[in-house]
Amino acid sequence: MSEKFDVVILGGGNAGIGVTGPVRRAGLSVAMIEARDLGGTCPNRGCTPKKILVAAGHALHEIERASVHHIAVGKPKLDWAALIDREKDMIKDIPANLARSMAKRRVEVIKGHAAFAGPNAIRVDNRTLEAKHIVIATGSKPRPLPIPGAEHMITSDEMLSERELPGSVIFVGGGVISLEFGHVYARAGADVTILEALPQLLPAMDADAVAQLQAESERIGIRVNTNVSVKKIEPANGRLRVTFVHDGREQALEADRIVNGAGRIANVDTLDLEAGNVAQTSGRVAVDAHLRSTSNPLVHVCGDAVPISPQLSPIATYEGDIVGRNIVEGPKYRPDYESMATSVYTVPELAAVGLTEGAARQKGLTIDVHVNDMLGWFSARTYAETVAWSKVIVEKATDRVLGAHFVGHAGQELVNIFGLAMRFGITATQIRENVFAYPTFASDIKHMLGHA
Ligand SMILES: Cc1cc2nc3c(=O)[nH]c(=O)nc-3n(C[C@H](O)[C@H](O)[C@H](O)COP(=O)(O)OP(=O)(O)OC[C@H]3O[C@@H](n4cnc5c(N)ncnc54)[C@H](O)[C@@H]3O)c2cc1C
C-alpha cells in the first residue's frame, strides 16, 4: 500500500526546508525524507561550523597585529581539540530544533535513504510514497578525483571533526574549501600547500581579486602551486606523499593530511533517476528555467543538486522557495542569480557580487572599473589591515553597478550593500549620495566608486 502526499521532498537541508514554507502555507501535505541530520550540510558540516573555526583564525590575525596598537602579547597557543569541541557544541542542537520547526509546520519527516520507485513514487526502506510533486534537494558531495590513492584523502567532514591539528596539510584543488580551511590551518601553525590544476585559484572569481588573496595567503606561509597535475597519492614514512607534475617536472611532497579540495558535485547518483523518468546529462539532472526536470515535470530540483547554480546555502534556500511557489502556483518563477553576494571566508576574506571584470568585458559591456588599493586609507590604517582592496564595475550607459569585489576591508559585509544596489537598481551615483555612518568601512564605499 502506498501513502499519498501532495509533495515529497528528498533531503532536509536548506533547499528542502526552503520548499516547505510556500507549500505548507498553501495547505499541501508534505513528507520530507532525510538520510542524515535535518539542516543538511550548511549548519551541520558546512558554513556554520566552518565559520567557528574561521572566527578563531580572525582572533589569531588580530593578535598578529596587536603590536600596531602597542599591545604586547606572547605567542598565541590554539587548543585545537577545544576549538573543535566548541564548534560541535555550538551546532549540536540544530537538527533537533529544526525537527521541532518541521513538526510545527506539520511536515512529516521520515528518516531514511530515498530513491525513485516510479515517475510519481518514492521508496524509503519498505515504504512507498506517492506524490503529485517530488523535489530533489539531496545536496552535493565531494568531487571524486580519478587519482591512484585518492582514497587516502580526507574531506571537509574530517577537517571539522578531527581533534588533532595536523602538522602539515596538502590541498588537492584550490577552491573555496581549500582556501578557507588552509587559512585557518596556516594561522593555527600548520604547514599548508595548495595544488591547483588550473592557472588560477578560485577560477570563477575576479582574477585581480584572486591575485590579492593569493599574495596574502603566501604572506601567511601558504605555498600555492597552480598548473599542477597530481599523479598519485601513497602512504610514505608514516605520512602521505603526493606526486605531481609542475612546470614539466615530476615532484613529490609529504604531509600528515591530504584534502580533496576539488569542489563538489550534485548528489543524485543513488536516486534511481531512471525509475523516476528523470533525464540526466553527464550525471546531472537536466532542468528547465523553472528548476523542473525536463523529462518529468512533476519533479523539481533545488539547492546544490541543481547542476547550474552556485553551491551556496542562501541560494539553496532561495531555489527551494522558488520550487515551493512553482508547486503552489504553477511554473511561474525562475531563479535570478545576478545579484547574489558571496564570500570566501579566508582571513581576510574575498567577497564578491555580480560580474568579474573579465566576464563584463567578454560580454562586450562598456564599463568603468574602479580599482582601489585601500591600505593607505585611514580606515585600513586604523585597523592595521594587511590587505584592503576593492574593484567596482559600473556600466557607463546606465550607471548601474555590475560587480563588486573585495579582499579584506569588511568585504563580507560591504558586498551585501552592493548586492542590494544591484538587485533594486540603485545606481552608482545614488550610492555615492548616501550618507554613511562615519568612521566605518562602509563610509569608504563612496570613495571606492571614484568621483562622478
Ligand atoms: C565545508 C563546507 C563549507 C561551506 N561553507 C559555506 C558558506 O560559508 N556559505 C555558503 O553559502 N555555503 C557554504 N557551503 C555550501 C552549503 O553548505 C550548501 O550550498 C548548502 O548546504 C546546500 O543545501 P542543500 O539543501 O542543497 O543541500 P544539503 O544541505 O547538503 O542537504 C541535502 C540533504 O539531503 C540528504 N540526502 C541526500 N541524499 C538523500 C537521499 N537519497 N534520501 C534522503 N536524504 C538524502 C542529505 O543527508 C542532506 O541532509 C559549504 C559547504 C561545505 C561542504
Side-chain angles (χ1 to χ4, degrees):
M1 267 291 281
S2 59
E3 301 160 64
K4 292 190 171 37
F5 289 90
D6 292 320
V7 185
V8 171
I9 304 170
L10 279 54
N14 280 68
I17 291 174
V19 179
T20 63
V23 295
R24 280 303 302 134
R25 277 195 294 278
L28 304 186
S29 59
V30 183
M32 171 184 278
I33 308 166
E34 171 52 57
R36 289 178 74 177
D37 305 313
L38 274 182
T41 305
C42 181
N44 297 305
R45 302 177 293 281
C47 338
T48 316
K50 175 208 62 195
K51 198 71 191 279
I52 295 164
L53 306 191
V54 171
H58 273 280
L60 289 168
H61 187 43
E62 291 298 329
I63 293 167
E64 177 200 328
R65 294 172 301 158
S67 63
V68 177
H69 309 288
H70 305 286
I71 303 167
V73 280
K75 192 175 178 333
K77 191 174 174 327
L78 169 56
D79 180 343
W80 189 261
L83 176 62
I84 294 291
D85 291 347
R86 164 174 148 83
E87 172 234 300
K88 296 288 179 219
D89 186 58
M90 281 182 68
I91 61 173
K92 68 178 188 312
D93 298 330
I94 291 173
N97 289 343
L98 287 170
R100 270 193 294 279
S101 120
M102 288 301 101
K104 208 165 149 198
R105 259 183 209 180
R106 290 207 246 138
V107 171
E108 180 170 342
V109 176
I110 300 168
K111 180 106 185 152
H113 179 276
F116 280 87
N120 68 337
I122 292 296
R123 195 180 54 248
V124 51
D125 295 326
N126 51 9
R127 292 167 75 171
T128 304
L129 315 183
E130 259 180 56
K132 293 180 188 149
H133 296 272
I134 293 172
V135 181
I136 299 175
T138 47
S140 60
K141 59 181 181 184
R143 181 187 304 282
L145 283 169
I147 303 170
E151 68 279 6
H152 297 299
M153 287 190 286
I154 61 166
T155 68
S156 50
D157 285 1
E158 287 84 11
M159 289 192 285
L160 289 167
S161 300
E162 288 187 353
R163 296 177 79 252
E164 195 180 336
L165 177 71
S168 52
V169 187
I170 297 171
F171 291 90
V172 176
V176 177
I177 287 177
S178 301
L179 276 152
E180 293 179 339
F181 283 93
H183 269 235
V184 175
Y185 278 152
R187 292 195 181 278
D191 185 78
V192 176
T193 305
I194 298 177
L195 303 177
E196 165 59 47
L198 296 173
Q200 181 187 309
L201 299 172
L202 302 167
M205 296 292 194
D206 186 89
D208 292 334
V210 174
Q212 293 287 327
L213 180 62
Q214 180 169 333
E216 179 66 3
S217 305
E218 288 167 342
R219 188 190 71 78
I220 64 166
I222 297 176
R223 271 185 303 278
V224 177
N225 288 327
T226 52
N227 290 310
V228 164
S229 169
V230 173
K231 296 297 174 200
K232 63 177 173 187
I233 298 166
E234 61 200 333
N237 311 317
R239 304 165 87 201
L240 290 164
R241 179 188 296 140
V242 184
T243 304
F244 59 96
V245 175
H246 186 224
D247 285 341
R249 207 163 53 85
E250 188 164 292
Q251 307 173 39
L253 277 178
E254 286 178 13
D256 296 329
R257 291 279 181 275
I258 315 288
V259 179
N260 179 347
R264 293 171 69 87
I265 56 165
N267 179 24
V268 293
D269 54 337
T270 61
L271 300 182
D272 203 353
L273 294 173
E274 292 77 21
N277 186 30
V278 177
Q280 303 174 62
T281 43
S282 17
R284 298 151 157 222
V285 176
V287 289
D288 66 14
H290 303 286
L291 301 178
R292 290 180 310 173
S293 155
T294 53
S295 53
N296 182 351
L298 306 182
V299 174
H300 310 253
V301 192
C302 49
D304 280 11
V306 174
I308 46 167
S309 55
Q311 292 172 326
L312 293 168
S313 74
I315 293 185
T317 304
Y318 167 74
E319 289 174 340
D321 183 70
I322 286 180
V323 162
R325 287 191 287 148
N326 281 338
I327 288 172
V328 173
E329 299 178 46
K332 274 193 186 167
Y333 301 99
R334 299 160 177 236
D336 170 7
Y337 303 110
E338 208 177 80
S339 56
M340 302 282 176
T342 176
S343 184
V344 179
Y345 298 100
T346 42
V347 184
E349 69 278 22
L350 183 160
V353 62
L355 295 178
T356 63
E357 183 180 349
R361 295 206 186 280
Q362 222 166 29
K363 280 175 177 264
L365 297 165
T366 309
I367 52 177
D368 281 326
V369 180
H370 304 282
V371 178
N372 297 290
D373 182 343
M374 303 177 287
L375 266 186
W377 295 14
F378 249 101
S379 44
R381 285 171 55 206
T382 303
Y383 284 91
E385 285 193 281
T386 49
V387 56
W389 181 93
S390 68
K391 177 189 278 188
V392 185
I393 301 159
V394 178
E395 188 173 33
K396 271 188 198 291
T398 61
D399 195 31
R400 288 184 66 156
V401 176
L402 299 178
H405 308 268
F406 301 87
V407 182
H409 219 62
Q412 63 182 299
E413 307 297 341
L414 300 196
V415 74
N416 293 300
I417 297 178
F418 284 94
L420 196 72
M422 288 174 65
R423 180 154 194 165
F424 296 105
I426 301 169
T427 63
T429 306
Q430 287 170 323
I431 296 174
R432 265 193 228 99
E433 282 169 4
N434 188 49
V435 179
F436 292 90
Y438 179 85
T440 59
F441 290 109
S443 63
D444 284 341
I445 283 181
K446 52 179 74 178
H447 307 297
M448 290 179 202
L449 281 160
H451 296 287

